[in-house]
Amino acid sequence: MRGERSKTNGLWLVPLTDKVSKKHIALTNGTANSAYHTSTLAETIQFLHQCLFSPTLDTLCKAIDNNQLIGFPKLTSRNVRKYLPASTATEKGHMNRMRKGTRSTTKTRPRPPDDEEDMRPKQDKDAEWELMIGATIADNTDGTLYTDQTGAFPVVSYKGNKIMFVAYEYRSNAIIAKPIRSNSDESLVAAFKEIYEYLSDKGFKPKLNVMDNQCSKAVQKYIQSQNTDIQLVNPDDHRVNAAERAIQTWKNHFLAGLNTIDPNCPVQLWDEFVNQGMITLNLLRASRVNPKLSAYAQLEGQYNFDRTPMAPVGTKSLIFLDPNKRRSYQNHALDAWYVGPAMSHYRNYRFWLPDTHGFRTGSTAKFFPAHCKMPAIEPGDTIRLAAQDLIQAIQNRNKHAPIDLMPKHTEALRQLVEIFKDTTAAEEVQSTPAPRVSAPSSSIDATNPERLRNQPRIHSRVTRRNTPMPTIMEETFESKELENESTANKENANPNNNSTLPRVQAAPRVQEAPRVQAAPRVEITVTPAMRPRRTIAQYRREKAEQLKAATPAPMPITQDDEINAVKANNVQQRRILPDMATMKTPLGISQAAVSKMLERTIENLHAPAFIPRSLKKASMQFEHWEPTVNAVVHPETGETITKYEKLANDPLMRDKWTAAMCKELGRLSQGYGTTAGTNTFFFMTLDEIKNIPKDRTVTYARIVVDYRPQKEDPNRVRITAGGNLIDYPGELTTRTAELTTTKILWNSTLSTPGAKFACADIGNFYLATPMERYEYMRIKADLIPEEFKQQYQLHDKIHKGYVYCEIRRGMYGLPQSGRIANDLLKKRLAPHGYYEVQHTPGLWKHETRPIQFVLTVDDFGIKYVGEEHLKHLLDTVKKYYELTIDMEGSLYCGITCKWDYDKRTLDISMPGYVMKQLQKYNHPPPKKPQHCPWEPAPRTIGTKSQETEPEDTSPPLDKKGIHRIQQICGSFLFYGRANDPTIAHALNELASQQSCATENTTKRANQFLDYMHTHPDAVIRYYASDMILNVHSDASYLTARNARSRACGWYFLGSIPKDGKPIALNGAIDQLCTVIKLVAASAAEAELAALFLNAKNAKVIRITLEELGHPQPPTPIHSDNSTAVGI
């Protein structure tokens, strides 16, 4: 029976006679009204081909002919073979070695290729349900789950995933991929559980699980709990496991799709692309149960492209910003990267936003593919589509669905049909492109190590690596004014120079290192008087004379005479040192000029340099800061000396500090005198300098000096490498203990019977770690003492005033030093039973011994019960490192600890620290004692209590005054967190006002310093307790600027409170002092917000306590607002 469906009532019209006239039956093909309408078939086919992860032509056509891709617009095998250009991404992902016997003269029985057998298996009705499991390892350090390791994925994903877990279900012929963090039991069991639940829900619960011989007990236990049999393959014959072939198929498909992402798209989003890759792969694979269905349709049902449209993964996009969520004059769209379809939403997509580092689902978006054209409807298409709809409507009308038309209307429509037929046919001929000849589509090498090395990393933390800044176009600050003048003249000469976005080309040229735009320059006001143009050399001389007249002491200038100005249109071809590897300038930021002026201000001060937080986040360390040091006080004049060069030229201090410099150079190299060398770096000859790898950046040496009386050698010189210029391709995050973790361990020591505390310091911790990837550094020859030059024969190794070094071991300043040193320590301590806990960074335990310790950089804080266990740890560490031991535990991370094990108390303090800082700022003692660190808001009652704090109308400070406020905040921040919680509010206020400080801010800063002078040595005392976390929460309503309220919290370890008994207080292990971001409508709302913030922080502390061995009951939080408590 054949019939058609009525368009008026939706009923099927089936004729009662066998003979049916063809004019009454309109055979219609399945159509899909997609989001993409275009008359250019080549654009549509190429776009959909990249959406499907660029499969091979034969695989795609067979899937189309088998009706596995119903609903994809205009995707027919005829159109694909005729209009799809050759795809380089397909070849990069699927190309294999030519099969033996392809052109053999011996007659052999033809055999279908493996790809055809894998994608189109024969129907198997009687086979048992089987699940073949495999894994591809993405990190060599994690080991391999299979003997046929397929290679390491170059980068860890944004969510921390390293491994792709691959499952192959036999009957449906489906391949299921799931990114996981590691091959640990926890990750693997979670992956097995998710896949088992998914297959069981789809009716394909496995009965037999075939897997590799390397299978953990935890995984076997879970599989057996699901009533599934396990079959392990032979140790040396993994071909029995069909997952091996599934892994190869998955990798080929995923790699082909990965090569069509935008060149600027972060590859760390690869785990977000897995979902679309898995969908498209299973759409191309036929099911064993029903070969007419795809593997995806067998599990999920028919895929509806109209309902859940796709785009090529990693496509640059703009997503619409709702008017209710955008500010005045804010752009209507946000930059984003497309990561996959939103399967639970109708016609929506998933995006990753680089500005917020978050994911968003949206329906209104604009795509800008890098390797194909975006299908778009053109004006002529609208007419042709309307004509085609009209033709189809007229031709399909029959007696079952009559249309009442007058004779003249019928005749007019017939004429219109004929006109449109001729017009559309002619336009189709004109618009249809000729079949491809030799125009292959473009692609990238997504996993190329060189490309990944130059691409910045992204993650949820704010570090130097995930805040990439554009490159400064001008190499010297002095040449900016001249270049600005030149640019302004060019712009004025061309008034019609309108900057517009270029249209996306079909096959754009992919560059290995895409050009980045320069940072916005800070406007510099110049007198408009006419004057002759100066050369750069004249400009430099004038600035040098002005600087010399304004500065009492000579300023060291480093790395400026050799740097040439570079034009903006030739960034990629700049060469600063023509005879050697390229020397990059520091990464630029939008406030580059302001930061340069800040640098000059710092050099004119006698106080040590302070870098604001905003610049620390961008890792903005200039090359001219290389001799920056900490404070050293002259024994006669009392002057605070901040430069090694000045110490080396001072007659009274020259011998002492040049000797310290020789010891530091010898310690880092091959030794000097009695100082043993660590072989951290080797001095390079002139021939070796020419062979520096082109992918390395020669960084600078930063010299730091300080006087440390608690050390064996108090006169300390340290050379660190300029880490802001190092482009390290690997992971940089190092897990180190926080101050709160250390305080919890101290309390645990007091509260554990028989426990004691000791400290240990690893000597040359960073310097003892070998590096597989060498780095390079140069030191100014004038800063190296003459006796050291003679011993190492450095006069013959000086190149343009610098001595070059090859860094072979971890060194202070290198961004990767902490990570590789920490990883090596884990590897060395693991065989002895020591491990770092899962959730608390820097907290270590032993598997059986009663010993725990925190690790902050290279300082051990050890809690132990029994000296034999402490001896076991120290002996283990001494096997690999030089160790300095403090059995009394009297000094840890600059904090003095006084233990009284009899009374079970601990006093922590930082004696002398405050007075040293006050001396640095030349702050005189107050005339009368100051007992309030910050002037409180005036107390108001009645209706005035609802009024906000008045605005500060006092004159603003100059740059020097603002910099002083910033220095004060930075100097006392660690002291406040570690030792004096009473100054937290004052520091919070100063920090919030430092960017727009006024004279009133200076008065309050002086009041704060008066308070510090009155109370210079704060002491926190801890008592033994039941180790139960207690939180005191409070809020201050409308006491902050802009109608904001404040939240505070006090965290201490005590006991469970009991009714009718006072609460036993203890020293704070942490405190909260912040401004609530939202405007509270009442005091109760402010109290409720404070409770939320404190409970949020308490959750993290509870995890640390439980990992340390102190189970926690429900945490008591104390509040004095009954309304908030009731809510």
Side-chain angles (χ1 to χ4, degrees):
M1 298 176 64
R2 303 180 65 184
E4 65 176 342
R5 194 171 188 175
S6 174
K7 296 182 179 180
T8 58
N9 54 21
L11 298 178
W12 289 94
L13 303 177
V14 181
L16 299 179
T17 61
D18 295 336
K19 296 182 180 180
V20 182
S21 177
K22 293 184 178 180
K23 64 180 181 180
H24 296 305
I25 303 297
L27 299 178
T28 59
N29 296 325
T31 60
N33 297 322
S34 172
Y36 313 110
H37 298 281
T38 177
S39 59
T40 307
L41 287 177
E43 295 178 5
T44 305
I45 298 302
Q46 187 180 17
F47 180 83
L48 295 177
H49 181 252
Q50 295 186 11
C51 290
L52 293 170
F53 274 54
S54 302
T56 60
L57 183 65
D58 187 61
T59 299
L60 179 59
C61 290
K62 288 184 177 180
I64 295 173
D65 294 338
N66 198 38
N67 295 327
Q68 296 173 207
L69 298 175
I70 295 177
F72 284 75
K74 301 184 180 181
L75 194 62
T76 64
S77 59
R78 177 182 177 277
N79 291 340
V80 170
R81 295 186 184 277
K82 186 175 181 180
Y83 301 119
L84 179 63
S87 173
T88 57
T90 302
E91 299 300 329
K92 290 179 180 179
H94 295 273
M95 181 179 290
N96 294 322
R97 186 185 301 274
M98 182 178 293
R99 184 185 296 275
K100 292 183 179 181
T102 302
R103 297 183 179 179
S104 176
T105 58
T106 304
K107 293 184 178 181
T108 58
R109 186 176 180 180
R111 177 178 176 270
D114 293 340
D115 292 342
E116 182 177 350
E117 293 181 354
D118 184 48
M119 304 298 284
R120 324 218 65 76
K122 296 180 180 179
Q123 186 173 5
D124 189 359
K125 300 181 179 180
D126 301 327
E128 292 291 338
W129 293 347
E130 298 177 354
L131 180 66
M132 312 298 183
I133 302 297
T136 56
I137 305 303
D139 192 357
N140 283 327
T141 59
D142 289 342
T144 61
L145 187 63
Y146 279 89
T147 57
D148 57 342
Q149 181 179 348
T150 57
F153 204 92
V155 292
V156 180
S157 74
Y158 174 69
K159 294 183 177 179
N161 294 316
K162 302 177 182 178
I163 297 174
M164 277 191 286
F165 187 91
V166 179
Y168 170 58
E169 207 286 317
Y170 181 78
R171 292 203 57 183
S172 64
N173 197 33
I175 294 178
I176 304 172
K178 174 177 171 52
I180 58 177
R181 289 181 174 270
S182 65
N183 60 352
S184 62
D185 289 347
E186 182 180 2
S187 298
L188 290 176
V189 171
F192 270 97
K193 182 178 180 180
E194 182 175 342
I195 292 177
Y196 266 64
E197 292 178 352
Y198 171 77
L199 293 176
S200 299
D201 182 61
K202 302 302 178 183
F204 286 87
K205 183 178 180 180
K207 297 180 180 180
L208 175 64
N209 203 142
V210 181
M211 61 174 52
D212 246 357
N213 187 53
Q214 301 174 359
C215 179
S216 65
K217 294 182 179 179
V219 173
Q220 293 187 25
K221 182 178 179 181
Y222 173 76
I223 296 176
Q224 292 172 354
S225 67
Q226 300 298 312
N227 298 324
T228 302
D229 297 331
I230 300 176
Q231 178 180 325
L232 303 180
V233 302
N234 297 332
D236 299 323
D237 186 9
H238 292 200
R239 293 175 298 174
V240 179
N241 190 351
E244 300 297 327
R245 177 61 190 174
I247 291 172
Q248 180 182 352
T249 303
W250 164 253
K251 286 188 61 182
N252 294 347
H253 182 77
F254 187 72
L255 189 59
L258 203 62
N259 286 331
T260 59
I261 67 174
D262 191 281
N264 296 323
C265 178
V267 184
Q268 283 179 279
L269 297 174
W270 62 265
D271 58 343
E272 296 296 329
F273 305 153
V274 169
N275 185 39
Q276 182 167 334
M278 185 172 59
I279 294 173
T280 54
L281 177 59
N282 289 325
L283 282 173
L284 299 170
R285 298 172 64 85
S287 171
R288 274 192 175 89
V289 178
N290 185 356
K292 293 298 182 181
L293 292 179
S294 66
Y296 179 87
Q298 188 68 56
L299 295 175
E300 298 285 350
Q302 197 64 253
Y303 186 84
N304 191 336
F305 189 84
D306 184 41
R307 183 183 182 87
T308 51
M310 294 181 181
V313 293
T315 299
K316 183 175 179 59
S317 312
L318 292 175
I319 58 175
F320 178 70
L321 182 60
D322 191 87
N324 297 327
K325 297 181 180 180
R326 62 174 180 250
R327 300 182 299 274
S328 177
Y329 288 95
Q330 187 178 1
N331 290 331
H332 292 201
L334 300 176
D335 291 318
W337 297 105
Y338 168 79
V339 297
M343 301 301 295
S344 301
H345 297 75
Y346 180 72
R347 288 191 178 182
N348 274 250
Y349 311 88
R350 288 190 72 246
F351 302 93
W352 182 80
L353 278 65
D355 292 339
T356 62
H357 283 205
F359 294 91
R360 181 173 297 187
T361 300
S363 58
T364 305
K366 183 74 173 179
F367 297 98
F368 301 92
H371 308 286
C372 66
K373 282 188 176 181
M374 182 68 193
I377 189 168
E378 298 182 3
D381 296 337
T382 306
I383 300 175
R384 289 194 298 272
L385 291 174
Q388 293 172 3
D389 292 342
L390 183 59
I391 292 171
Q392 185 178 8
I394 295 175
Q395 290 180 344
N396 290 344
R397 67 188 183 92
N398 50 51
K399 62 181 181 180
H400 299 287
I403 303 177
D404 296 332
L405 296 175
M406 297 180 65
K408 62 177 181 179
H409 293 162
T410 304
E411 183 62 27
L413 286 175
R414 289 177 179 174
Q415 296 178 5
L416 190 61
V417 167
E418 298 300 327
I419 294 174
F420 276 131
K421 276 186 177 181
D422 299 336
T423 304
T424 56
E427 292 184 354
E428 284 180 359
V429 172
Q430 295 177 3
S431 62
T432 300
R436 54 178 171 85
V437 180
S438 59
S441 62
S442 64
S443 62
I444 65 171
D445 194 353
T447 56
N448 182 272
E450 181 67 22
R451 180 181 180 276
L452 295 174
R453 185 181 298 111
N454 295 327
Q455 188 179 52
R457 297 289 187 268
I458 60 166
H459 44 74
S460 56
R461 302 173 300 279
V462 180
T463 65
R464 182 184 66 83
R465 292 294 296 180
N466 76 332
T467 52
M469 296 298 171
T471 306
I472 299 178
M473 294 305 179
E474 50 278 336
E475 301 292 353
T476 55
F477 178 78
E478 291 82 356
S479 62
K480 286 185 179 180
E481 182 178 333
L482 297 178
E483 292 191 29
N484 285 338
E485 293 177 359
S486 177
T487 304
N489 294 335
K490 292 180 180 180
E491 293 178 354
N492 294 334
N494 185 13
N496 298 324
N497 183 15
N498 296 326
S499 177
T500 59
L501 287 174
R503 295 187 63 182
V504 181
Q505 301 294 329
R509 184 183 301 273
V510 180
Q511 299 179 358
E512 196 65 23
R515 182 175 300 177
V516 194
Q517 303 234 342
R521 301 174 182 172
V522 178
E523 296 292 338
I524 302 177
T525 305
V526 184
T527 306
M530 297 298 295
R531 63 181 183 185
R533 292 185 60 83
R534 297 168 293 171
T535 64
I536 295 180
Q538 293 174 342
Y539 182 84
R540 288 178 176 173
R541 283 196 296 270
E542 292 180 7
K543 290 297 181 182
E545 293 176 359
Q546 297 175 5
L547 192 60
K548 184 176 180 181
T551 307
M555 296 176 57
I557 302 176
T558 60
Q559 302 178 2
D560 56 352
D561 295 332
E562 302 172 356
I563 299 179
N564 301 319
V566 180
K567 295 182 179 181
N569 60 353
N570 196 24
V571 178
Q572 298 179 356
Q573 300 179 0
R574 65 179 184 271
R575 292 188 61 83
I576 301 171
L577 301 178
D579 299 332
M580 52 169 295
T582 303
M583 180 71 163
K584 294 183 181 179
T585 55
L587 297 177
I589 60 174
S590 59
Q591 297 179 347
V594 177
S595 303
K596 186 68 179 182
M597 298 304 296
L598 176 60
E599 170 202 350
R600 293 184 173 181
T601 305
I602 292 174
E603 291 183 345
N604 290 333
L605 296 174
H606 295 298
F610 169 80
I611 305 175
R613 285 186 178 181
S614 59
L615 298 186
K616 283 184 178 179
K617 291 181 179 180
S619 193
M620 191 64 188
Q621 300 181 10
F622 290 88
E623 293 180 2
H624 297 286
W625 287 10
E626 81 174 14
T628 302
V629 297
N630 293 326
V632 176
V633 180
H634 196 281
E636 291 185 356
T637 63
E639 178 187 1
T640 301
I641 302 177
T642 61
K643 300 181 183 300
Y644 166 77
E645 190 173 13
K646 190 170 185 178
L647 292 172
N649 294 328
D650 187 272
L652 183 61
M653 310 184 72
R654 179 191 303 120
D655 296 339
K656 182 188 304 181
W657 288 100
T658 54
M661 181 66 168
C662 290
K663 292 177 63 176
E664 174 65 7
L665 288 171
R667 184 175 66 92
L668 293 174
S669 56
Q670 288 69 56
Y672 180 81
T674 59
T675 303
T678 59
N679 294 327
T680 300
F681 60 63
F682 290 81
F683 297 104
M684 305 177 66
T685 63
L686 298 180
D687 293 335
E688 292 173 340
I689 293 175
K690 296 179 181 179
N691 296 326
I692 294 177
K694 297 301 181 181
D695 62 341
R696 302 294 194 275
T697 300
V698 181
T699 188
Y700 58 92
R702 183 172 179 265
I703 304 176
V704 181
V705 300
D706 193 11
Y707 181 73
R708 304 285 294 276
Q710 73 274 17
K711 297 292 184 178
E712 182 179 354
D713 184 6
N715 302 314
R716 298 172 65 88
V717 175
R718 290 292 179 262
I719 298 177
T720 64
N724 60 311
L725 301 187
I726 301 298
D727 296 328
Y728 183 69
E731 182 63 37
L732 300 175
T733 305
T734 305
R735 289 168 59 92
T736 185
E738 296 182 352
L739 191 58
T740 303
T741 306
T742 304
K743 292 183 176 182
I744 293 176
L745 186 67
W746 287 340
N747 280 264
S748 179
T749 304
L750 293 175
S751 305
T752 303
K756 291 187 177 181
F757 188 83
C759 299
D761 184 4
I762 298 181
N764 301 329
F765 182 48
Y766 283 4
L767 308 182
T769 309
M771 300 193 307
E772 297 179 358
R773 182 182 188 271
Y774 295 165
E775 302 291 350
Y776 298 89
M777 176 183 70
R778 67 179 191 176
I779 307 174
K780 194 173 182 181
D782 295 341
L783 299 178
I784 302 177
E786 185 64 28
E787 55 268 31
F788 190 88
K789 292 180 184 177
Q790 295 178 0
Q791 177 172 333
Y792 279 81
Q793 301 178 1
L794 296 182
H795 291 284
D796 299 333
K797 301 178 180 179
I798 297 177
H799 178 74
K800 294 187 177 182
Y802 290 89
V803 176
Y804 287 78
C805 310
E806 183 178 61
I807 306 174
R808 300 183 181 180
R809 291 176 175 266
M811 180 177 178
Y812 296 108
L814 293 180
Q816 67 267 37
S817 291
R819 180 59 182 253
I820 61 178
N822 197 269
D823 290 344
L824 181 61
L825 179 66
K826 292 179 182 178
K827 183 178 179 181
R828 289 173 171 175
L829 295 185
H832 303 278
Y834 296 96
Y835 66 96
E836 187 178 16
V837 299
Q838 182 179 3
H839 298 101
T840 304
L843 178 59
W844 293 65
K845 299 175 67 176
H846 192 273
E847 295 175 352
T848 58
R849 296 177 181 269
I851 184 170
Q852 300 94 21
F853 64 88
V854 289
L855 179 61
T856 305
V857 188
D858 57 356
D859 292 335
F860 285 81
I862 310 167
K863 170 200 168 184
Y864 64 96
V865 180
E867 294 186 358
E868 67 276 12
H869 304 298
L870 175 64
K871 184 176 182 301
H872 180 268
L873 173 62
L874 298 180
D875 292 343
T876 301
V877 178
K878 286 180 180 178
K879 292 180 181 179
Y880 311 102
Y881 305 96
E882 298 178 1
L883 201 61
T884 303
I885 305 171
D886 177 15
M887 295 297 296
E888 302 297 328
S890 58
L891 184 66
Y892 184 73
C893 293
I895 302 175
T896 301
C897 303
K898 293 183 179 180
W899 296 88
D900 189 340
Y901 294 111
D902 296 332
K903 297 181 180 179
R904 310 302 295 173
T905 61
L906 167 64
D907 294 342
I908 63 171
S909 60
M910 298 176 63
Y913 179 86
V914 171
M915 297 308 298
K916 182 179 180 180
Q917 300 302 319
L918 294 175
Q919 181 183 4
K920 181 172 68 175
Y921 299 121
N922 297 323
H923 186 75
K927 296 181 180 179
K928 60 180 181 179
Q930 177 60 259
H931 301 291
C932 181
W934 191 262
E935 181 180 356
R939 185 175 182 180
T940 57
I941 58 176
T943 57
K944 292 186 178 181
S945 62
Q946 299 292 327
E947 296 179 358
T948 61
E949 184 178 356
E951 295 185 1
D952 187 358
T953 57
S954 59
L957 298 180
D958 55 8
K959 291 184 178 180
K960 187 175 181 180
I962 293 176
H963 180 63
R964 181 175 180 270
I965 301 298
Q966 294 172 339
Q967 283 186 309
I968 293 174
C969 292
S971 300
F972 290 98
L973 180 60
F974 177 76
Y975 178 81
R977 291 193 66 240
N979 202 60
D980 192 354
T982 62
I983 64 175
H985 170 65
L987 290 175
N988 186 280
E989 278 292 327
L990 284 176
S992 64
Q993 299 180 19
Q994 63 182 1
S995 60
C996 53
T998 63
E999 292 183 357
N1000 284 341
T1001 308
T1002 301
K1003 293 180 181 178
R1004 295 194 169 188
N1006 291 332
Q1007 177 183 343
F1008 169 74
L1009 296 179
D1010 289 343
Y1011 172 83
M1012 299 307 298
H1013 204 291
T1014 305
H1015 305 278
D1017 297 319
V1019 178
I1020 296 179
R1021 170 165 291 186
Y1022 295 110
Y1023 297 89
S1025 65
D1026 294 336
M1027 294 296 292
I1028 303 300
L1029 176 63
N1030 283 250
V1031 182
H1032 285 188
S1033 176
D1034 200 358
S1036 177
Y1037 181 56
L1038 293 183
T1039 55
R1041 302 169 64 185
N1042 299 326
R1044 299 296 198 275
S1045 303
R1046 301 186 183 279
C1048 60
W1050 183 274
Y1051 306 82
F1052 65 94
L1053 297 173
S1055 305
I1056 299 178
K1058 297 181 180 179
D1059 295 338
K1061 294 185 179 181
I1063 299 174
L1065 300 178
N1066 203 347
I1069 59 172
D1070 196 9
Q1071 62 271 350
L1072 173 71
C1073 183
T1074 186
V1075 176
I1076 301 174
K1077 294 182 179 180
L1078 302 177
V1079 177
S1082 64
E1085 286 191 7
E1087 294 279 359
L1088 187 62
L1091 282 172
F1092 169 76
L1093 295 175
N1094 283 299
K1096 181 179 175 183
N1097 290 346
K1099 178 64 176 177
V1100 179
I1101 299 177
R1102 283 174 55 92
I1103 294 175
T1104 302
L1105 286 166
E1106 291 175 356
E1107 289 187 324
L1108 199 56
H1110 300 285
Q1112 294 295 300
T1115 300
I1117 302 180
H1118 311 270
S1119 177
D1120 60 356
N1121 189 283
S1122 58
T1123 303
V1125 172
I1127 295 176

